[in-house]
Amino acid sequence: MYGINGKFNSTFRDFETYRRLGIVSVTTTRYKRSIMGPGKGDLFALYSTRQGWLGVGRVVDSAVPFQDFRMHQGGLLVEQDAYPFKEIQRINPHFGKEEYILRVEWLAIVDSVEDGKMIGGFDSDDPVIVLDGEMEKALLKAFNLSI
């Protein structure tokens, strides 16, 4: 099980986008090695610094750079121009290579970032970390999951 930091900003990396689209993303400049760790089928936990745990999910597809990311909904390919990240790529041409996106299936997720405070959390310098057995047990209990 992995923890993926949900530090969000108002331009593109926000919790509601993660919830709605079933994705998690990080900037590769610092975190490429971390985001490439989880593979298809791995369990992970999403948390936000100073907010707490936000959700538990399963990796659907390994992380890829935004420029290579393809998403299907209802069997149809969603045009990249429709992604909420497209605007930031227009502003920052390096974004397509620097932002990695992990496609996920949410098993449990809070309704809002503020709700994460009710579950608690911890702080880390890395966005993706391997959780120990006790942390995994605590998260599954907090989200009422039996996996």
Side-chain angles (χ1 to χ4, degrees):
M1 180 178 269
Y2 300 83
I4 298 176
N5 192 333
K7 279 188 179 178
F8 306 110
N9 66 37
S10 60
T11 56
F12 65 94
R13 195 182 298 132
D14 70 351
F15 176 66
E16 194 50 43
T17 299
Y18 283 11
R19 253 174 60 94
R20 186 171 40 87
L21 297 180
I23 60 170
V24 174
S25 66
V26 299
T27 300
T28 63
T29 312
R30 182 172 173 197
Y31 300 120
K32 179 179 179 180
R33 193 172 43 134
S34 294
I35 194 71
M36 297 304 288
K40 186 174 183 173
D42 285 341
L43 293 176
F44 72 95
L46 178 69
Y47 74 95
S48 181
T49 305
R50 293 178 298 282
Q51 296 297 332
W53 293 106
L54 303 177
V56 175
R58 188 177 316 276
V59 175
V60 173
D61 287 318
S62 298
V64 295
F66 172 72
Q67 67 186 11
D68 299 333
F69 181 66
R70 301 293 177 263
M71 187 163 71
H72 293 80
Q73 287 182 337
L76 300 174
L77 181 66
V78 177
E79 289 298 320
Q80 236 187 3
D81 281 342
Y83 298 167
F85 306 102
K86 196 63 176 183
E87 184 58 29
I88 196 73
Q89 186 168 326
R90 279 192 264 280
I91 296 167
N92 175 3
H94 302 290
F95 178 81
K97 295 176 185 172
E98 294 173 353
E99 188 76 9
Y100 270 58
I101 300 177
L102 189 66
R103 182 70 194 224
V104 304
E105 168 196 6
W106 294 115
L107 303 175
I109 192 161
V110 296
D111 290 329
S112 69
V113 173
E114 293 75 29
D115 290 342
K117 290 179 182 177
M118 301 300 289
I119 296 171
F122 70 95
D123 225 353
S124 172
D125 289 337
D126 290 324
V128 180
I129 60 166
V130 177
L131 302 176
D132 63 27
E134 292 302 312
M135 181 79 64
E136 182 176 341
K137 286 179 195 174
L139 278 170
L140 294 179
K141 182 178 178 182
F143 284 99
N144 197 24
L145 289 171
S146 57
I147 299 173

